[in-house]
């Protein structure tokens, strides 16, 4: 299994939320997880980053769990982060985000992170 460094934008401390389930699943599958939330200090025992702009080092995957409008507001920070790819989970899709990220040379996948993990396709998309 290939381990990736994955930022979860919109990470939630609520175990019923898909972003929290993805965060836990990513950890179970051996990935290094960076929760991103503007107000929390810790989620699932992991230190939280409050802003994409302060993430240091390379990010293989940014998985998005914020609504399209909020994602569109963050598109410049996403481009500056320059992740290897961005996963737009169901309900986060935006043509503007897809167009801007692709123009910035960032791979965009519209899929559910949880499904990608369970089906073994999460790392299959690397370098794809």
């Amino acid at each position: 299994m290939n381990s990736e460094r994955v930022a979860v934008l919109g990470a939630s401390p609520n175990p019923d939320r898909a972003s929290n389930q993805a965060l836990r699943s990513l950890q179970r599958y051996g990935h290094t997880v960076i929760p991103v939330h503007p107000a929390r200090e810790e989620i699932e025992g992991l230190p939280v980053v409050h802003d994409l702009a302060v993430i240091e080092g390379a990010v293989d995957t940014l998985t998005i769990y914020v609504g399209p409008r909020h994602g569109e507001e963050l598109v410049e920070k996403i481009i500056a982060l320059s992740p290897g790819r961005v996963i737009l989970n169901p309900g986060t899709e935006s043509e503007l985000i897809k167009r801007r990220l692709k123009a910035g040379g960032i791979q965009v996948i519209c899929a559910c992170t949880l499904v990608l993990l369970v089906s073994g396709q999460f790392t299959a998309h690397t370098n794809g």
Side-chain angles (χ1 to χ4, degrees), residues 76-128:
E76 292 305 320
K77 287 185 179 186
I78 296 169
I79 292 168
L81 180 64
S82 189
R85 67 175 173 174
V86 170
I87 298 173
L88 293 172
N89 287 276
T92 69
E93 302 95 339
S94 158
E95 288 305 315
L96 175 92
I97 293 172
K98 288 193 281 189
R99 191 171 54 252
R100 297 287 306 279
L101 295 182
K102 287 179 181 179
I106 298 170
Q107 179 188 20
V108 179
I109 300 168
C110 293
C112 174
T113 297
L114 290 165
V115 171
L116 292 174
L117 285 164
V118 171
S119 66
Q121 298 177 69
F122 187 83
T123 56
H125 285 285
T126 304
N127 298 326

Side-chain angles (χ1 to χ4, degrees), residues 31-87:
H31 301 291
T32 300
V33 182
I34 305 162
V36 182
H37 187 287
R40 294 287 178 163
E41 296 302 318
E42 180 181 289
I43 297 176
E44 297 297 330
L46 296 170
V48 172
V49 173
H50 298 134
D51 189 316
L52 291 171
V54 300
I55 295 176
E56 295 181 3
V59 171
D60 298 302
T61 299
L62 172 66
T63 184
I64 297 182
Y65 287 95
V66 297
R69 186 178 310 158
H70 190 58
E72 289 170 2
E73 293 169 359
L74 296 172
V75 76
E76 292 305 320
K77 287 185 179 186
I78 296 169
I79 292 168
L81 180 64
S82 189
R85 67 175 173 174
V86 170
I87 298 173

